[in-house]
């Protein structure tokens, strides 16, 4: 399960920073792939913070909140 929504837009002189929050419920392996894909995206994406909590079922599943920034020119 993945839910993504914008949090804020910060206006700078020559660019804009968009903050995006992603709430994820998935196996830890899938979360790892998601984080890797964000950090290695050709777009200007950066992970600002990650909050991870273990879930009791199903096994190896986590609930995470990820704050992502995107720079737009």
């Amino acid at each position: 399960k993945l839910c993504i929504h914008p949090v804020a837009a910060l206006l700078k002189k020559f660019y804009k920073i968009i903050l995006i929050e992603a709430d994820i419920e998935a196996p830890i392996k899938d979360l790892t792939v998601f984080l890797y894909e964000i950090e290695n995206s050709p777009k200007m994406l950066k992970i600002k913070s990650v909050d991870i909590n273990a879930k009791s079922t199903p096994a190896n599943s986590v609930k995470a909140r990820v704050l992502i920034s995107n720079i737009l020119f």
Side-chain angles (χ1 to χ4, degrees):
K1 179 181 164 189
L2 174 64
C3 178
I4 298 175
H5 55 279
V7 176
L10 308 170
L11 298 174
K12 302 295 182 179
K13 191 168 185 171
F14 298 107
Y15 61 95
K16 185 181 343 182
I17 300 174
I18 306 294
L19 295 175
I20 304 157
E21 193 170 74
D23 292 316
I24 307 162
E25 288 185 34
I28 189 74
K29 182 179 178 184
D30 293 348
L31 176 61
T32 304
V33 170
F34 177 76
L35 297 175
Y36 178 84
E37 293 294 328
I38 291 170
E39 282 291 313
N40 292 287
S41 170
K43 298 180 180 180
M44 298 186 78
L45 300 175
K46 180 171 175 79
I47 296 172
K48 303 299 274 181
S49 68
V50 180
D51 181 27
I52 302 173
N53 296 300
K55 290 185 67 177
S56 56
T57 56
N60 298 324
S61 214
V62 294
K63 185 173 185 179
R65 176 165 285 161
V66 182
L67 184 62
I68 305 161
S69 67
N70 183 14
I71 297 177
L72 302 173
F73 290 96

